[in-house]
Amino acid sequence: MSDPAPTTSTDPASDTPAHATTPAAASAPADPADAADTAATASREAGGARPPRSAATRAAILAAARDRFAAEGYERATIRAIAKEAGIDPSMVMRYYGNKAGLFAAASEIEVHAPDLTHVPHDELGARLVRHFLERWESDETMTGMMRVGVTNDAGAQRMRKVFAEQIEPVLSAVCPVPEEAELRSGLIASQVLGMALCRYVLHIPPAVALSHDEVVAWLAPTIQRYLTADLP
């Protein structure tokens, strides 16, 4: 049986209502997994601890969302397709994230955790940055997911730009010889860091993948160091 027609406005880029509870969400889910999540929600609302099932469901939703946003772009990706890829009912996506905009915001949340460079020896700044980003890319799949989204649609690209502006530029400003040049220098550094990430983690270009951490640092650090500390040409 097809889903009942929504009675409220629908997100134009989604086939699921953007700001309403669907009939499927209003009743108890028939699927055992959905029933478990319904119980999880009730427990959470009652002040209980969130069980592992809830965390696993959220992780599945976010992973599927990153895949769909990367493959189809924000406008074409739908709540229904994301839910199908995650193996859950669309009402569960709505329950956790409200609408597609809320889901995209959650799926694209990135914490770079840029290191404090003010205590790093001056001639080690480039190496410290390169090694930090290698460790971040390889410990958080969100970074790779958002790289894929960022190169396929404007919403993802805007998100990546915001991350660098808010999380990277302030760190570079603290050690930049001319603070007002921090924006320019962060753009140059991004060209190297993101370029390597694209080749190594998204495109899987064999020579880039084959490099060890020490080799990546040895190749990139001198350029990053120059971008960060040298006088402008």
Side-chain angles (χ1 to χ4, degrees):
M1 183 178 294
S2 60
D3 294 339
T7 57
T8 58
S9 61
T10 303
D11 182 341
S14 172
D15 51 11
T16 307
H19 299 288
T21 300
T22 63
S27 59
D31 185 275
D34 290 345
D37 278 305
T38 300
T41 301
S43 174
R44 185 165 61 253
E45 291 173 351
R50 178 182 297 165
R53 174 62 190 172
S54 176
T57 300
R58 287 176 180 269
I61 293 171
L62 293 179
R66 293 182 194 111
D67 287 345
R68 289 298 89 207
F69 288 135
E72 301 177 353
Y74 178 81
E75 296 299 329
R76 294 181 59 190
T78 66
I79 293 291
R80 189 177 300 280
I82 290 167
K84 182 178 180 180
E85 184 166 327
I88 61 173
D89 189 271
S91 65
M92 297 304 300
V93 181
M94 304 294 288
R95 178 178 302 164
Y96 285 128
Y97 300 105
N99 55 36
K100 189 164 73 171
L103 176 59
F104 181 79
S108 62
E109 187 67 32
I110 298 175
E111 286 295 335
V112 175
H113 300 298
D116 180 0
L117 299 177
T118 57
H119 302 296
V120 175
H122 183 269
D123 60 353
E124 296 178 12
L125 292 172
R128 180 71 181 88
L129 273 178
V130 174
R131 197 171 295 279
H132 174 79
F133 277 108
L134 281 172
E135 292 170 353
R136 289 295 298 127
W137 285 109
E138 295 183 7
S139 66
D140 186 355
E141 63 183 18
T142 302
M143 301 277 283
T144 301
M146 280 312 300
M147 169 68 76
R148 296 201 310 270
V149 175
V151 298
T152 57
N153 68 85
D154 288 341
Q158 290 174 9
R159 185 67 172 174
M160 294 294 286
R161 288 194 293 269
K162 183 177 181 182
V163 167
F164 264 78
E166 294 181 351
Q167 300 186 38
I168 304 300
E169 286 179 24
V171 172
L172 301 184
S173 296
V175 295
C176 181
V178 185
E180 55 266 31
E181 295 173 358
E183 182 177 0
L184 168 62
R185 292 172 185 266
S186 68
L188 293 171
I189 290 170
S191 72
Q192 298 295 311
V193 172
L194 297 182
M196 175 56 75
L198 180 65
C199 293
R200 186 175 172 93
Y201 304 118
V202 178
L203 301 179
H204 301 292
I205 294 177
V209 174
L211 291 170
S212 69
H213 280 202
D214 288 342
E215 289 172 326
V216 174
V217 172
W219 279 104
L220 291 191
T223 300
I224 300 299
Q225 182 79 20
R226 181 169 65 86
Y227 285 161
L228 183 57
T229 64
D231 292 337
L232 292 182

